[in-house]
Amino acid sequence: MTSSDSGAAPPSRATNDLDDAVSVFLRHRGRLFGIAYRVLGSVTEAEDVVQEVWLRWQKTDRSVVDNPMAFLSTAATRLAINVAQSARVRRESYIGTWLPEPVDTSADPEVGAERAEAVELALLLVLERLNPTERAAYVLREAFDYGYAEIADMLRLNSANVRKIVSRARRHLLDEAREPVDTAEHRRLLDAFVAAARTGDVASLEALLTPDAVSLSDGNGIRGCARVPVLSAAHVAKLSSRRLLWHDAETETVTVNGLPGTLVSREGRPVALLTVVASKDGIHQVLWVFNPDKIAAFLGSRSRGTAALG
């Protein structure tokens, strides 16, 4: 019996072509999100970039694209740079400290698959000090190992200029760097910090912190959230042990941008996301996310996977 006899029409060439387009896009989607997220420091904005890349991929004459991954990565990079340029203006009106939007890399391992340290919150925060093009060049080279010539094509620059940009960014970041501890020690320090903070043990907290420790709280004006960096072990310990934060709180161990973190909830409602940055000398940065939109984005990243294509 023929297909016409059965009443079922054969798949059209357009249908097969779209199926191929979806297959290719989904194959590279994790990398596209990873590039955009590292450039932007925002789950929400990175998702918007990925969606726009998909729309462009649909409209492109794909028969003339020799290297789909290069095409898609270039589109994601250029779009992310454009968004970053406008985001910088928006963040000037942000109330208090702005921290990158955290992502759960245990639920979405593709995000941290390429040189995982390049997705850590502390590094993303330092990357914000670079202009968007410098940030993109560094991310493409250090996180995804693109060649200088490839990056030059993607950014419409020459290779020599890209080398200078990446070298300058690398030096800038090295000035901020301290030798990190391994994941097990990081987990131990964070657990000890949370235990001491919950019981109000200020002395134990100070012992875990370096003398020059700093606490950064991102709440965008939320009540009770510090709007400026809190400096010194004594002040950070006092702030972190506030009874108001820990009263009737439950804690959950999570993975925040490749490192251990703690989700603090009250009556089943998440109120804070905590992670720390540590070296062999102790904890030198305490990062608090109180902004409910960013906490929601973190929780949403657990089910990000292959989001629906529109």
Side-chain angles (χ1 to χ4, degrees):
M1 184 170 59
T2 66
S3 60
S4 57
D5 291 335
S6 67
S12 68
R13 180 178 298 177
T15 299
N16 288 336
D17 186 51
L18 184 58
D19 287 344
D20 289 344
V22 171
S23 177
V24 169
F25 184 81
L26 291 180
R27 195 180 313 142
H28 301 299
R29 190 184 192 285
R31 171 166 288 217
L32 303 181
F33 179 85
I35 292 171
Y37 175 70
R38 285 168 170 85
V39 172
L40 294 165
S42 167
V43 175
T44 307
E45 291 172 346
E47 286 287 7
D48 289 344
V49 165
V50 171
Q51 187 66 12
E52 179 60 28
V53 174
W54 163 242
L55 294 175
R56 294 190 179 193
W57 181 237
Q58 279 182 288
K59 297 173 183 176
T60 295
D61 179 1
R62 294 178 294 276
S63 66
V64 300
V65 177
D66 294 328
N67 187 334
M69 187 177 78
F71 176 93
L72 294 168
S73 298
T74 298
T77 301
R78 291 177 183 172
L79 284 166
I81 289 172
N82 290 340
V83 173
Q85 289 167 339
S86 60
R88 177 166 289 189
V89 175
R90 292 197 305 275
R91 287 169 192 167
E92 288 175 357
S93 62
Y94 199 83
I95 301 173
T97 300
W98 181 91
L99 292 177
E101 209 170 72
V103 63
D104 187 338
T105 46
S106 69
D108 194 357
E110 279 189 312
V111 178
E114 305 279 354
R115 297 194 187 180
E117 70 277 3
V119 79
E120 292 172 11
L121 283 183
L123 178 59
L124 294 180
L125 185 59
V126 176
L127 283 176
E128 281 290 313
R129 301 177 193 174
L130 307 176
N131 70 49
T133 299
E134 290 174 332
R135 202 181 314 156
Y138 178 85
V139 164
L140 292 169
R141 179 62 183 170
E142 296 298 311
F144 294 95
D145 203 28
Y146 281 96
Y148 290 109
E150 292 176 288
I151 299 170
D153 287 341
M154 295 165 83
L155 301 182
R156 298 179 178 139
L157 299 171
N158 63 61
S159 295
N161 198 6
V162 170
R163 285 180 180 275
K164 289 178 182 177
I165 289 172
V166 172
S167 177
R168 187 165 60 241
R170 195 181 286 137
R171 285 197 306 271
H172 184 83
L173 296 174
L174 282 174
D175 289 342
E176 304 276 342
R178 305 189 195 194
E179 185 176 351
V181 295
D182 62 28
T183 302
E185 177 64 5
H186 190 283
R187 175 83 267 170
R188 186 195 71 78
L189 288 168
L190 178 62
D191 287 346
F193 182 91
V194 171
R198 293 190 69 164
T199 58
D201 188 347
V202 175
S204 292
L205 280 173
E206 284 195 53
L208 292 167
L209 297 162
T210 62
D212 63 345
V214 58
S215 176
L216 302 174
S217 300
D218 180 327
N220 197 21
I222 195 170
R223 187 177 178 183
C225 175
R227 297 189 180 185
V228 296
V230 175
L231 309 175
S232 84
H235 289 129
V236 173
K238 184 176 180 180
L239 174 78
S240 302
S241 59
R242 288 180 305 160
R243 179 169 172 75
L244 182 63
L245 171 64
W246 298 105
H247 180 65
D248 289 336
E250 308 97 40
T251 60
E252 176 189 350
T253 298
V254 292
T255 302
V256 182
N257 292 63
L259 290 174
T262 299
L263 182 66
V264 182
S265 301
R266 190 173 293 110
E267 297 179 349
R269 182 176 66 87
V271 295
L273 187 62
L274 163 68
T275 189
V276 300
V277 186
S279 68
K280 61 182 180 62
D281 298 318
I283 295 171
H284 56 90
Q285 268 190 328
V286 182
L287 306 177
W288 300 91
V289 176
F290 292 101
N291 184 331
D293 293 336
K294 291 188 177 183
I295 296 175
F298 172 81
L299 296 175
S301 71
R302 293 177 165 185
S303 57
R304 195 181 66 82
T306 54
L309 299 174

